[in-house]
């Protein structure tokens, strides 16, 4: 077959032109949609069943993978297109080690840029231990104290990495800073090491309770104290006509009050029961009860009040003025 002459004529020039055209077209395309890379994070599967008979001391962090493609394709990329698998079958010992990992890309518009091939895993044998539960609390407000506390059940069963179970502490946190009455509620159990660092990757069970909880019961009582307070006699009504109340005296002007500190702080005085003044005259003595607020007691519980009612002086009559003399005629 004979090739037409115009096809073979200036062949080198035509090849150079084709290359330049391709470069120009590529430049135009990538100027509006340039290539780029993007980092995405994906979770590493770490199902306990796949790791048995070992357990992870620490959770394996998310894997960072870079994908490459055009800016448009990267913007539309969904990280769920990446499938991560870890070959836990190679595990034969405890400790920190590299475990093979593979990342499969199901998006044909992007490619993986040097994906990781291993992850770091810290492994230990699975074990269990019974741990007592302690209560960590913010104390009640001023004037109140915790008189008793209990946890039901008092221990929990903890399952986790063998070496971390030594010295493990189980705690429940309770905030009583605004609590003035008894407290009872289910609380979540937290696990801590000897340095106070909170731990994860543990299973916590308590008999008869939802997973990871115990019932906390705390008795909060008021701080009982005492103070001296003035006795304030209380009277009502009107004395006999033509009389007035001249004085009110108390045989013991102060009493000792006992009760919660926050109540006593406001009691500079305490009233008596009301004494009726209706129709009274002269000097009269009454024994009346002292009436502190609920929760407070007074010693003594009564007071002797003396009322002095005096007669008003009679009103004096004003003298009649003398008439002025009339002027004499001139």
């Amino acid at each position: 077959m004979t090739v037409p002459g115009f096809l073979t004529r200036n062949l080198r020039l035509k090849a150079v032109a084709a290359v330049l055209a391709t470069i120009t077209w590529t430049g135009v395309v990538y100027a509006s949609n340039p290539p780029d890379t993007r980092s995405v994070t994906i979770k590493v599967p770490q199902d306990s069943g796949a790791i048995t008979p070992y357990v992870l001391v620490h959770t394996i962090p998310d894997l960072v993978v870079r994908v490459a493609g055009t800016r448009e394709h990267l913007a539309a990329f969904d990280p769920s297109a990446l499938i991560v698998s870890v070959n836990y079958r190679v595990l034969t010992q405890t400790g920190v080690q590299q475990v093979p990992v593979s990342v499969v890309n199901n998006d044909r518009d992007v490619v993986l840029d040097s994906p990781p091939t291993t992850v770091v895993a810290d492994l230990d044998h699975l074990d269990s231990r019974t741990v007592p539960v302690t209560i960590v609390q913010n104390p009640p407000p001023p004037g109140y104290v915790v008189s008793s506390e209990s946890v039901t059940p008092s221990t929990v069963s903890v399952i986790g990495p063998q070496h971390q179970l030594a010295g493990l502490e189980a705690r429940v946190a309770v905030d009583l800073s605004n609590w003035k009455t008894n407290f009872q509620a289910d609380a979540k159990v937290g696990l801590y090491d000897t340095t106070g660092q909170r731990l994860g990757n543990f299973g916590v069970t308590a008999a008869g309770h939802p997973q990871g909880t115990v019932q906390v019961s705390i008795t909060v009582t008021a701080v009982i104290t005492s103070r001296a307070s003035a006795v304030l006699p209380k009277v009502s009504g009107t004395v006999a006509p033509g009389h007035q109340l001249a004085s009110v005296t108390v045989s013991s002007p102060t009493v000792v009050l006992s009760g919660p500190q926050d109540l006593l702080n406001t009691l500079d005085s305490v009233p008596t029961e009301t004494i009726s003044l209706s129709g009274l005259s002269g000097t009269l003595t009454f024994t009346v009860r002292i009436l502190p607020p609920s929760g407070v007691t007074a010693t003594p519980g009564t007071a002797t009040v003396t009322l002095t009612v005096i007669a008003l002086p009679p009103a004096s009559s004003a003298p009649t003025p003398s008439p002025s003399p009339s002027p004499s005629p001139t």
Side-chain angles (χ1 to χ4, degrees), residues 187-273:
K188 188 77 172 177
V189 177
L191 301 176
Y192 298 83
D193 63 16
T194 53
T195 65
Q197 181 75 27
R198 183 153 188 171
L199 302 174
N201 282 355
F202 287 87
V204 180
T205 57
H209 283 77
Q211 186 173 6
T213 65
V214 293
Q215 186 180 75
V216 179
S217 300
I218 300 176
T219 302
V220 179
T221 57
V223 176
I224 302 301
T225 187
S226 60
R227 65 166 295 183
S229 182
V231 177
L232 186 64
K234 190 173 181 181
V235 297
S236 68
T238 305
V239 297
H243 293 72
Q244 67 177 8
L245 180 62
S247 66
V248 179
T249 59
V250 184
S251 59
S252 298
T254 61
V255 292
V256 176
L257 301 179
S258 299
Q261 183 178 351
D262 60 335
L263 287 179
L264 297 190
N265 288 341
T266 64
L267 295 178
D268 294 326
S269 62
V270 59
T272 66
E273 61 183 333

Side-chain angles (χ1 to χ4, degrees), residues 45-279:
Q46 39 205 302
D47 179 63
S48 59
I51 305 171
T52 303
Y54 305 104
V55 64
L56 287 169
V57 177
H58 305 290
T59 301
I60 299 175
D62 293 347
L63 206 60
V64 178
V65 179
R66 292 192 66 81
V67 293
T70 64
R71 186 173 296 173
E72 179 181 348
H73 287 151
L74 290 177
F77 176 71
D78 185 355
S80 64
L82 301 181
I83 306 300
V84 179
S85 60
V86 184
N87 186 11
Y88 290 114
R89 292 189 301 274
V90 302
L91 300 176
T92 59
Q93 61 185 6
T94 61
V96 178
Q97 53 199 284
Q98 299 284 341
V99 184
V101 63
S102 63
V103 183
V104 176
N105 176 25
N106 291 318
D107 189 333
R108 292 178 297 178
D109 292 328
V110 300
V111 295
L112 301 182
D113 183 6
S114 301
T117 58
T118 61
V119 291
V120 177
D122 188 0
L123 300 172
D124 198 354
H125 287 295
L126 190 65
D127 201 356
S128 65
R129 182 167 299 183
T130 299
V131 181
V133 181
T134 59
I135 301 174
V136 179
Q137 55 175 268
N138 285 336
Y144 292 85
V145 294
V146 171
S147 58
S148 67
E149 62 183 26
S150 63
V151 179
T152 305
S154 59
T155 62
V156 291
S157 178
V158 180
I159 302 174
Q162 186 179 64
H163 289 86
Q164 285 193 324
L165 291 177
L168 192 70
E169 296 181 9
R171 307 175 188 170
V172 288
V174 179
D175 185 4
L176 300 175
S177 57
N178 293 312
W179 209 271
K180 297 182 179 181
T181 59
N182 294 341
F183 175 92
Q184 186 176 74
D186 285 343
K188 188 77 172 177
V189 177
L191 301 176
Y192 298 83
D193 63 16
T194 53
T195 65
Q197 181 75 27
R198 183 153 188 171
L199 302 174
N201 282 355
F202 287 87
V204 180
T205 57
H209 283 77
Q211 186 173 6
T213 65
V214 293
Q215 186 180 75
V216 179
S217 300
I218 300 176
T219 302
V220 179
T221 57
V223 176
I224 302 301
T225 187
S226 60
R227 65 166 295 183
S229 182
V231 177
L232 186 64
K234 190 173 181 181
V235 297
S236 68
T238 305
V239 297
H243 293 72
Q244 67 177 8
L245 180 62
S247 66
V248 179
T249 59
V250 184
S251 59
S252 298
T254 61
V255 292
V256 176
L257 301 179
S258 299
Q261 183 178 351
D262 60 335
L263 287 179
L264 297 190
N265 288 341
T266 64
L267 295 178
D268 294 326
S269 62
V270 59
T272 66
E273 61 183 333
T274 303
I275 302 172
S276 176
L277 299 177
S278 298

